[in-house]
Amino acid sequence: MKTSALESLIFAQKSKTELIDETILSLQCLLHETFSDKGKPELKKEFPQNTSPDDLRIKLGNVIVYIESLNKPGLSIEVILDIFINNTNFELGTYSHIFNEEGILVDEMLVIN
């Protein structure tokens, strides 16, 4: 089966682009909320001191399709974004969304190195 045919089956409910865009938007909102005045101080402490959202760069890491996993029976799709510090090009961590076969968000993870 060709890749395009397989992708059209997997991404029948929401396109790969829609899932990526949804994940990027979610991370941008989380970062904005974290670094705002009232923000999330406990999460802000995980970032290097004096970091601002402008210091960060987001890059699409991978889109992974799981046919079956130990924790989630059935198909799931993970969109992984890499978070970098601009000036040093240091990978700070990753942010990911996991969607079910219908394109509904079932889990999100933020890992700061």
Side-chain angles (χ1 to χ4, degrees):
M1 185 177 265
K2 290 189 173 192
T3 302
S4 59
L6 189 58
E7 280 193 9
S8 68
L9 288 172
I10 293 170
F11 300 105
Q13 300 295 320
K14 282 189 181 176
S15 72
K16 184 178 0 177
T17 302
E18 288 174 312
L19 298 178
I20 292 168
D21 289 346
E22 190 174 315
T23 306
I24 291 170
L25 182 59
S26 178
L27 176 56
Q28 288 173 332
C29 290
L30 178 64
L31 291 174
H32 176 73
E33 187 177 340
T34 298
F35 291 103
S36 69
D37 291 337
K38 294 181 182 176
K40 297 181 179 245
E42 70 284 352
L43 185 55
K44 190 174 181 178
K45 291 177 189 174
E46 298 295 320
F47 290 86
Q49 193 172 5
N50 299 323
T51 300
S52 76
D54 294 333
D55 298 329
L56 304 175
R57 181 171 48 90
I58 300 167
K59 178 183 170 196
L60 176 62
N62 291 296
V63 177
I64 302 170
V65 177
Y66 301 101
I67 304 301
E68 288 275 332
S69 75
L70 296 174
N71 299 330
K72 293 181 178 51
L75 184 104
S76 60
I77 303 158
E78 183 175 15
V79 177
I80 303 170
L81 303 174
D82 297 323
I83 306 167
F84 292 90
I85 299 283
N86 259 334
N87 296 341
T88 62
N89 209 26
F90 171 75
E91 185 175 341
L92 184 61
T94 60
Y95 179 79
S96 65
H97 270 181
I98 299 175
F99 300 92
N100 67 13
E101 64 276 358
E102 292 152 4
I104 297 171
L105 179 66
V106 293
D107 202 0
E108 77 178 317
M109 293 179 284
L110 173 65
V111 178
I112 303 294
N113 298 332

